[in-house]
Amino acid sequence: MANRPLSPHLQIWKWGPHMAASILHRITGDGLALVGLAVLLWWLGAIAGGAESYATFVEIMGSPIGMIVLVGLSWAFFSHMMTGLRHFVMDIGAGYELTTNKTFSVVAPVLGILLTAAFWAVILLK
């Protein structure tokens, strides 16, 4: 048993952007599932509760903390979508070359940020 090889671990592997993209994909997916579902259910409950409860929802979501939550959810959505597209490209058998994989791993979160900024620019400038 003592001569058996050790399986690779985080101490052995060199950290790369592909690892960060994978972890970001999981974190944003969990955030969308937990926080996004909570906000969606609150919104639906506020609609069903009538004008007064909906006004409370709108007031809280329009506050600075509410806007942080909404911007965070939209960032999580766009980042998750971009890293999901990266995974989709890899699932069809492309993008496994080291330079391509690293490039996609860096570009995906950047596109998520740019799409979030564009989304909120459209909303706030209307």
Side-chain angles (χ1 to χ4, degrees), residues 9-90:
H9 191 264
L10 290 176
Q11 296 168 340
I12 295 171
W13 290 105
K14 182 180 175 187
W15 183 262
H18 57 287
M19 291 174 154
S22 179
I23 292 168
L24 179 66
H25 185 73
R26 293 171 189 199
I27 290 171
T28 55
D30 289 344
L32 286 169
L34 297 174
V35 178
L37 180 63
V39 171
L40 175 67
L41 290 176
W42 183 21
W43 177 68
L44 290 172
I47 290 173
E52 187 176 313
S53 61
Y54 186 72
T56 302
F57 173 81
V58 170
E59 180 183 340
I60 292 173
M61 280 304 172
S63 72
I65 292 187
M67 291 299 287
I68 289 170
V69 169
L70 292 177
V71 169
L73 279 172
S74 60
W75 169 80
F77 171 76
F78 287 119
S79 291
H80 191 76
M81 183 174 66
M82 291 297 106
T83 53
L85 288 173
R86 175 185 166 267
H87 283 283
F88 178 71
V89 169
M90 292 175 67

Side-chain angles (χ1 to χ4, degrees), residues 17-18 22 83-105:
H18 57 287
S22 179
T83 53
L85 288 173
R86 175 185 166 267
H87 283 283
F88 178 71
V89 169
M90 292 175 67
D91 286 344
I92 62 173
Y96 281 104
E97 300 79 23
L98 189 57
T99 55
T100 305
N101 194 351
K102 284 185 177 182
T103 302
F104 284 168
S105 298

